[in-house]
Amino acid sequence: HTKRTAKDYIFGKLIGDGCYSTVFLAKDIHTGKEYAIKVCEKSHIVRNQKVQYIKREKDALNMLFNVPHGFVKLYCTFQDEERLYFVLSYAKNGELLHYINKVGSFELNVAKFYVAELLLALEKMHAKGIIHRDLKPENILLDENMHLQIADFGTVKILEPEKIKSPTPTVPEDQDSAVRSRKISFVGTAQYVSPDLLQNRVDTRASDLWALGCIIYQMISGLPPFRASNDFLTFQKIQKMDYEFPEGFPAEAKDLVEKLLVLDHTKRLGSSDTGDTYESIRRHPFFEGIDWENIWEQTPPKIS
Ligand SMILES: NC(=O)Nc1ccc2c(c1)=C(Cc1cc(-c3cccc(C(=O)NCCN4CCCCC4)c3)c[nH]1)C(=O)N=2
């Protein structure tokens, strides 16, 4: 069909809001299909020097379009005088955070299921050299069948092809700075940002593995491990590894979290895995009983 414009959609409720974008539920007037349309104000993007982030988001989403499960899809983009539009999958059941807050904390079988789907999605993303850098329960969505979809690729780093296979971290220079300085102009959401990103300005796939550890902790306890009244104090807690497990936190989950929340990113579980799967994480006893080959076809356990 011809290039879409905003006139091809009926815009509905606001379903997401960020510093540089607003996400609306929208219906395609020709097909009746529902989408999430992410709208970015051009002037705001340019003024805040975020053009690179928008380009990387589109590249990452295009790289992931043919991965059948685990990610929102980018169907098309268009623009008008003032705005950029990304037509994305509508994950009808919204944010994982909503469910964690609604039930307080997940039962172990529910946490195990969603952590396994999240790990499979991370494997696909990292195998293509895409580091998300802002994984958190707000960016993890649930589709109409309650399967997981990672959203918001506005913070990604895309490794050059020659660096994709290397198990060692990427060199400190960052795509965010024009010169090969060690400054990283981007840091994710305080509660989930890795110490390596905070300290020596290196963001690698292991940064996402740190966030995975934080998300597992939060699914089971209801709150992220590192939290304080402001971001600076949160960063301090992260760098001092100042967190503890609540009474009754399941032993296997505790062991897995402790193997992911490791200050040295080269020693994090999975950091030394070289293939396209995190075998050392898949083998952990926490995942006992997970059917890795068929999980996307299974009916997710009820969140209650
Ligand atoms: N920054 C980004 O890129 N953000 C994005 C990108 C893509 C995207 C995205 C965000 C989405 C966010 C989203 C938000 C919601 C949502 C928000 C608020 C309410 C509801 C809602 O009521 N859904 C109906 C089912 N609910 C589910 C939750 C319990 C009550 C009943 C959905 C659904 N999907 C989405 O579906 N697709």
Side-chain angles (χ1 to χ4, degrees), residues 206-233:
S207 306
D208 287 344
L209 296 179
W210 174 280
L212 176 65
C214 294
I215 293 165
I216 297 170
Y217 179 102
Q218 182 170 357
M219 280 190 202
I220 293 172
S221 73
L223 291 170
F226 305 102
R227 50 192 193 273
S229 52
N230 64 56
D231 286 357
F232 176 75
L233 294 176

Side-chain angles (χ1 to χ4, degrees), residues 25-280:
L25 174 57
K27 183 171 281 192
D28 184 314
I29 59 174
H30 309 285
T31 65
K33 284 185 180 166
E34 288 183 315
Y35 295 95
I37 300 189
K38 185 172 187 173
V39 184
C40 310
E41 291 290 332
K42 287 181 185 176
S43 58
H44 192 46
I45 297 290
V46 172
R47 192 166 55 250
N48 291 278
Q49 299 171 322
K50 296 298 175 190
V51 175
Q52 277 312 316
Y53 287 83
I54 297 289
K55 285 182 181 156
R56 268 186 239 153
E57 175 167 19
K58 185 173 180 181
D59 291 346
L61 284 161
N62 286 335
M63 289 164 74
L64 293 165
F65 185 81
N66 291 319
V67 178
H69 308 287
F71 306 97
V72 296
K73 286 187 180 300
L74 175 63
Y75 292 99
C76 70
T77 61
F78 52 85
Q79 58 184 293
D80 58 26
E81 198 67 31
E82 300 83 25
R83 286 169 291 274
L84 301 171
Y85 300 82
F86 287 55
V87 180
L88 296 152
S89 320
Y90 174 52
K92 188 175 180 130
N93 281 301
E95 299 173 2
L96 184 71
L97 180 65
H98 166 86
Y99 289 90
I100 295 173
N101 293 339
K102 184 178 156 193
V103 301
S105 64
F106 285 177
E107 289 170 8
L108 194 54
N109 66 312
V110 174
K112 191 188 291 193
F113 180 91
Y114 284 110
V115 174
E117 288 202 338
L118 181 54
L119 183 67
L120 288 172
L122 279 185
E123 287 176 345
K124 293 293 185 191
M125 199 168 60
H126 290 176
K128 291 179 179 289
I130 300 167
I131 306 172
H132 190 283
R133 302 201 295 182
D134 197 18
L135 284 175
K136 54 185 176 179
E138 296 91 314
N139 288 339
I140 297 170
L141 307 179
L142 297 173
D143 69 15
E144 61 181 331
N145 299 314
M146 291 298 280
H147 282 285
L148 176 143
Q149 292 187 337
I150 296 177
D152 196 351
F153 290 80
T155 59
V156 298
K157 180 174 184 179
I158 301 173
L159 301 178
E160 286 115 50
E162 64 277 10
K163 290 182 187 149
I164 290 179
K165 282 295 172 199
S166 68
T168 50
T170 54
V171 291
E173 98 281 351
D174 187 83
Q175 291 172 342
D176 295 337
S177 47
V179 291
R180 292 169 69 86
S181 75
R182 293 176 68 84
K183 180 184 75 61
I184 281 192
S185 57
F186 164 75
V187 158
T189 304
Q191 289 84 354
Y192 307 91
V193 74
S194 61
D196 22 299
L197 209 149
L198 287 174
Q199 277 155 359
N200 41 16
R201 314 275 191 227
V202 169
D203 53 359
T204 73
R205 286 170 295 229
S207 306
D208 287 344
L209 296 179
W210 174 280
L212 176 65
C214 294
I215 293 165
I216 297 170
Y217 179 102
Q218 182 170 357
M219 280 190 202
I220 293 172
S221 73
L223 291 170
F226 305 102
R227 50 192 193 273
S229 52
N230 64 56
D231 286 357
F232 176 75
L233 294 176
T234 302
F235 292 152
Q236 279 194 320
K237 285 192 165 188
I238 291 167
Q239 293 174 306
K240 292 186 301 186
M241 292 290 283
D242 176 6
Y243 80 105
E244 53 197 31
F245 292 93
E247 267 308 293
F249 199 96
E252 284 157 6
K254 180 172 184 285
D255 185 73
L256 176 57
V257 170
E258 285 171 339
K259 288 181 164 69
L260 291 167
L261 299 187
V262 174
L263 280 177
D264 180 347
H265 58 81
T266 64
K267 295 194 170 51
R268 238 160 260 163
L269 193 62
S271 282
S272 309
D273 291 353
T274 50
D276 287 349
T277 57
Y278 283 117
E279 283 309 317
S280 60

